[in-house]
Amino acid sequence: MKNLLTDIAGVRVGHADDASIASGVTAIIFDKPAVASIDVRGGGPGTRDDALLQPHNTVDAVDAIALSGGSALGLDAAGGVQAWLAEQGRGLRIRDAVIPIVPGAICFDLLNGGNKAWGRFPPYRDLAYAAAAAAGSDFRLGSVGAGTGATTSNLKGGLGSASARTDDGVTVAALAVVNAVGSVTVGDGPWFWAAPFEVDGEFGGRGLPASFTPDMLKARLKGGPAATSGENTTLVVVVTDATLTKTQAKRLAMIAQTGMARAIYPAHAPLDGDVVFAAATGEKPIDPLFGLTELGMHAANTVARAIARGVYAATALPFRDALPSWQDRFG
């Protein structure tokens, strides 16, 4: 186990980013179509093909998922991943037509200091094509891909990942792009809210403070009282090798949202998007009640860990007034 999303067999991840614009794309590629659904808890989401993922709609499997910076302009990223998949002959077949199924979601990183004067067309479709072409079993964490320009209220955000295995041998893994309106750390200290779920010191092993003061529990929001609804969003992809129906994948996404509440303070705000995709590759059967509940428990814990790892691994942007990274402050 690499403690990455790619601990699920048949899943590959690729990044492409541009330092000058301080933004990028991450592509999650499934070697075979994966049953998938979505849960959205934030008030400011930006998604593509989210309706397709609802359990009552017809198409139940996806070929890839595209995550991008750029706010709504980044929704073009799914088209770039589709282009790469189409060249591989991948997609839903309807007679002679082949249609790659690529839902996507975006986070807002347009005010982070990068040069967004890119001309007529945003670069996200081309970045996404490059990310899909680069997808493999190993990938970097931190300020890369869709996490390149991500921020939180007090520290540089980034892209993180983590994995776990149930007692029955079912694997679940998460990838998170952390661009939250809130804080991933407690107060002004080095402690991560996700500390109780940390495994093997994966984000510094600092634990929690001995006690919590009123100041630690105050809201620390990106932008303070001037915060606006479009400047944030945490994006998560949870994948398991369990066999799930589309309805069960929806329930897994819903339970996995708990991990955001464990790792970000506050979460699910009107200022966030807070999107969780859940996908299943269908290798291992599970009990539909206890088994799915246990899987959801591990998924939520894994999401919390992935969020903390994303901030822990991030590096500050090279611009004036850029937020420091966790490593700058506490490493």
Side-chain angles (χ1 to χ4, degrees):
M1 298 263 292
K2 300 177 182 180
N3 206 21
L4 297 173
L5 191 75
T6 49
D7 285 331
I8 309 298
V11 179
R12 292 176 288 125
V13 173
H15 301 312
D17 41 66
D18 185 331
S20 68
I21 68 171
S23 191
V25 174
T26 295
I28 296 95
I29 307 293
F30 300 103
D31 288 345
K32 297 186 293 185
V35 172
S37 192
I38 189 173
D39 187 68
V40 180
R41 298 285 172 94
T47 57
R48 169 169 157 159
D49 274 346
D50 60 323
L52 174 150
L53 295 169
Q54 298 304 326
H56 58 273
N57 289 330
T58 302
V59 175
D60 64 355
V62 305
D63 299 296
I65 296 171
L67 306 180
S68 178
S71 190
L73 300 169
L75 292 174
D76 284 349
V81 178
Q82 280 185 313
W84 184 84
L85 286 165
E87 290 178 350
Q88 319 309 311
R90 291 282 313 278
L92 177 67
R93 295 183 178 272
I94 303 176
R95 289 189 289 173
D96 294 332
V98 180
I99 308 159
I101 304 300
V102 185
I106 51 84
C107 64
F108 184 99
D109 59 3
L110 298 179
L111 299 176
N112 58 16
N115 178 15
K116 305 303 192 293
W118 43 57
R120 177 172 292 178
F121 296 110
Y124 295 102
R125 185 176 65 176
D126 290 338
L127 285 169
Y129 181 94
S137 60
D138 292 307
F139 59 95
R140 293 178 295 142
L141 305 183
S143 299
V144 294
T148 299
T151 56
T152 71
S153 66
N154 59 342
L155 295 170
K156 176 70 175 69
L159 182 145
S161 192
S163 65
R165 188 167 286 156
T166 71
D167 291 341
D168 293 333
V170 175
T171 305
V172 63
L175 181 150
V177 177
V178 189
N179 190 58
V181 71
S183 173
V184 176
T185 53
V186 180
D188 295 321
W191 315 282
F192 286 94
W193 290 105
F197 309 100
E198 186 174 12
V199 176
D200 295 333
E202 62 193 338
F203 40 89
R206 298 296 185 94
L208 288 172
S211 61
F212 287 82
T213 66
D215 181 68
M216 290 176 179
L217 300 178
K218 286 182 179 178
R220 287 168 167 79
L221 302 181
K222 189 190 301 181
T228 58
S229 61
E231 296 183 21
N232 316 286
T233 284
T234 296
L235 310 175
V236 170
V237 176
V238 170
V239 185
T240 178
D241 57 6
T243 301
L244 301 180
T245 66
K246 195 175 177 184
T247 299
Q248 290 170 327
K250 172 71 172 182
R251 178 57 57 183
L252 180 63
M254 293 170 67
I255 302 173
Q257 283 273 13
T258 310
M260 283 202 199
R262 292 171 178 168
I264 302 169
Y265 186 82
H268 306 150
L271 308 172
D272 274 315
D274 289 2
V275 174
V276 174
F277 297 93
T281 61
E283 300 297 324
K284 298 174 182 177
I286 64 168
D287 178 82
L289 298 178
F290 178 82
L292 182 58
T293 302
E294 182 187 30
L295 182 63
M297 176 191 75
H298 285 287
N301 295 349
T302 304
V303 168
R305 293 165 51 212
I307 289 170
R309 290 192 81 199
V311 173
Y312 180 73
T315 53
L317 294 172
F319 306 121
R320 182 179 178 181
D321 300 325
L323 282 170
S325 69
W326 188 94
Q327 298 291 343
D328 291 335
R329 290 281 306 278
F330 309 112

